[in-house]
Amino acid sequence: MIPVGVGRGLMSSMKRMANQEITDKRQKKIQKKKEAGQKSLIARFLLGIRF
């Protein structure tokens, strides 16, 4: 049997790791949009980037 304190510690650390993965994905997506926004209008059109 696992003590309650240890179980809580494991669950909270797993929750933190999951939240970090979600945050990382979100930040990468935002970064891609910023990079696309810096391209010229013609480059955006040719690359098929929609805004």
Side-chain angles (χ1 to χ4, degrees):
M1 205 183 251
I2 300 173
V4 175
V6 174
R8 282 185 187 155
L10 288 172
M11 293 304 290
S12 65
S13 65
M14 291 177 77
K15 181 180 176 183
R16 238 182 278 124
M17 290 186 331
N19 284 339
Q20 185 63 39
E21 287 180 21
I22 292 168
T23 304
D24 288 344
K25 287 180 183 177
R26 219 178 268 148
Q27 286 176 347
K28 286 179 184 177
K29 192 174 184 181
I30 290 170
Q31 186 63 29
K32 285 182 183 178
K33 285 184 180 181
K34 285 182 181 179
E35 289 174 5
Q38 293 173 353
K39 296 188 184 308
S40 68
L41 183 61
I42 296 170
R44 282 188 235 160
F45 178 73
L46 292 174
L47 293 171
I49 300 170
R50 296 182 186 137
F51 293 95

